Amino acid sequence: MKRAEETVLTLGMESSCDDTAVAVLRGGRIVEAELLSSQLDDHIPFGGVIPEFAARRHLEAFLPLTEEALRRAGVSDPRRQIGLVAVTAGPGLMGSLLVGVMAAKALSLAWNVPLLGVNHLEGHIFANVVSSPELVPPFLCMIVSGGHTEIVLVKKFGTYVFLGGTRDDAAGEAYDKVAKALGLPYPGGPVVDRLAASGNPDAFDFPAPLKGSPEIVFSFSGLKTSVITRIKKIRSEGAAIPIEDVCASFQKAVTDALMTKLRLASRQTGVRSVSISGGVAANTALRESLLNEKGWNVFLPPRNRCTDNAVMIAAAGFAAFRRGERSGLDLVPDPSWELWKK
Ligand code: KG4
Ligand code: ZN
């Protein structure tokens, strides 16, 4: 890499869902500043993300966060110091994406620096690249979040092959819905994960969905319904719900399903470098299972970079910039932008 490129400062901006995040990255890996404003408390009373509400919060949060990130990164003259503005342009909620893309366009125009629209899923893949310099293509990345459950083959950076995904609910969505049925707060994943630690994973026999199928495909809707039906049955019998055991048994079924398909993807492609990303990649059982897998080179992003953040967007943007990609001021967000159709 050329010396000048190594020192490029990228401003990364992320607002595809309910987190507003801004980061300043030097080259491909050095994090100069990283800020996140979570809207979780605003959405908790609704048990999920309200799109219009999320967009308004992004609008309030972006400029103060950007100013603070630049200050922390020691950027006093962005026109001269910032080399690239990278922003999530999809997939995600249209209103939320629009706020980020419009803000990024305005900054790119005002500072006269290049603009790059980044695919959110490519960002998740780069959450691993930032923390693991030794991770090089080809490798597999399983993206598991509240909106996604996909296994991607990274042939080279910029060339992604979709190997399989979910037919219905995403893994994180199943966590959130099971948690809701148990009366636990949103988002359910971290709470279920914590409670599962003191439960018996064999207490309930929740089957790992599509475990026996020869295809790389997931389905979490049936598992979620079977867990919720069981909870309702116990309630109707007037008994106390063994919450920890339900959490542990559900988590075992999800982990089993994810690992089974990841093994299948590794066998089918012959690729043994395996990474995960997305909110569910913070899950204790999933991380343990991966680390225990024999014959794989496993890469796990730090827990704070599993969930949405702007470092991953800046890193993916910087890599694309080095490949020669650019966006124009006519950049339009695409709420259903598929990475492999880029
Ligand atoms: O990547 P993310 O922040 O947002 C999306 O793009 O969806 O992922 C959020 C999802 C939520 O469904 C949340 O319940 C789940 O990730 N999650 C977890 C854990 N931490 C977050 N699921 C299982 N175990 C966790 N430790
Ligand atoms: Zn995400």
Side-chain angles (χ1 to χ4, degrees):
M1 196 198 312
K2 285 186 243 115
R3 268 249 153 259
E5 278 186 352
E6 270 173 48
T7 58
V8 166
L9 281 186
T10 301
L11 176 72
M13 307 175 82
E14 154 66 34
S15 66
S16 62
C17 190
D18 58 341
D19 290 320
T20 323
V22 176
V24 178
L25 190 73
R26 183 177 300 281
R29 283 200 181 86
I30 303 166
V31 180
E32 299 284 359
E34 178 175 15
L35 288 170
L36 186 129
S37 164
S38 171
Q39 303 180 3
L40 258 183
D41 291 348
D42 302 328
H43 295 283
I44 281 175
F46 305 104
V49 177
I50 309 294
E52 173 64 24
F53 204 44
R56 291 178 192 208
R57 285 280 179 272
H58 289 307
L59 200 55
E60 290 163 7
F62 254 131
L63 289 183
L65 274 189
T66 304
E67 275 173 6
E68 180 60 14
L70 293 176
R71 197 188 63 74
R72 290 192 190 183
V75 176
S76 52
D77 184 359
R79 252 172 266 259
R80 291 188 43 208
Q81 291 173 275
I82 295 290
L84 173 70
V85 177
V87 62
T88 306
L93 302 171
M94 186 48 151
S96 295
L97 291 167
L98 260 176
V99 175
V101 167
M102 296 310 279
K105 280 187 191 181
L107 294 176
S108 152
L109 188 65
W111 297 340
N112 193 27
V113 297
L115 172 73
L116 205 62
V118 174
N119 184 296
H120 182 77
L121 298 184
E122 186 172 19
H124 274 303
I125 292 170
F126 270 80
N128 283 286
V129 181
V130 175
S131 51
S132 303
E134 62 286 15
L135 177 61
V136 286
F139 65 87
L140 299 176
C141 186
M142 182 167 69
I143 301 165
V144 265
S145 71
H148 294 273
T149 310
E150 276 126 21
I151 302 183
V152 179
L153 167 64
V154 180
K155 278 191 147 177
K156 57 181 186 177
F157 291 127
T159 307
Y160 306 98
V161 181
F162 172 80
L163 297 178
T166 180
R167 278 191 186 151
D168 39 58
D169 290 358
E173 199 179 346
Y175 264 98
D176 295 337
K177 288 177 179 168
V178 164
K180 194 172 178 186
L182 287 169
L184 302 170
Y186 172 87
V191 193
V192 171
D193 189 3
R194 188 164 38 79
L195 293 170
S198 45
N200 172 9
D202 299 314
F204 296 92
D205 187 20
F206 299 130
L210 298 174
K211 196 179 167 185
S213 144
E215 288 168 90
I216 303 174
V217 58
F218 300 102
S219 166
F220 292 104
S221 171
L223 170 63
K224 168 202 72 188
T225 306
S226 104
V227 176
I228 294 175
T229 309
R230 185 62 76 91
I231 294 168
K232 284 186 180 155
K233 185 163 179 286
I234 301 172
R235 262 199 201 117
S236 71
E237 287 162 357
I241 296 172
I243 293 187
E244 287 85 355
D245 289 349
V246 173
C247 290
S249 304
F250 163 71
Q251 180 150 294
K252 183 185 169 203
V254 174
T255 309
D256 212 5
L258 294 173
M259 287 301 295
T260 302
K261 299 305 174 183
L262 204 45
R263 284 187 199 110
L264 185 58
S266 173
R267 274 202 306 278
Q268 280 186 5
T269 56
V271 174
R272 291 167 164 269
S273 285
V274 180
S275 65
I276 54 171
S277 194
V280 184
N283 186 263
T284 316
L286 180 61
R287 293 170 84 93
E288 270 174 22
S289 301
L290 272 149
L291 291 172
N292 287 333
E293 191 73 17
K294 301 263 181 312
W296 283 2
N297 265 332
V298 172
F299 299 88
L300 304 174
R303 280 192 158 85
N304 66 325
R305 301 259 174 76
C306 290
T307 43
D308 293 347
N309 64 87
V311 168
M312 67 185 199
I313 301 302
F318 174 68
F321 179 71
R322 281 184 52 210
R323 297 195 297 267
E325 292 180 26
R326 304 285 184 275
S327 300
L329 285 174
D330 57 351
L331 174 67
V332 178
D334 179 355
S336 46
W337 181 7
E338 289 190 352
L339 179 59
W340 26 94
K341 290 195 183 147
K342 208 165 83 163

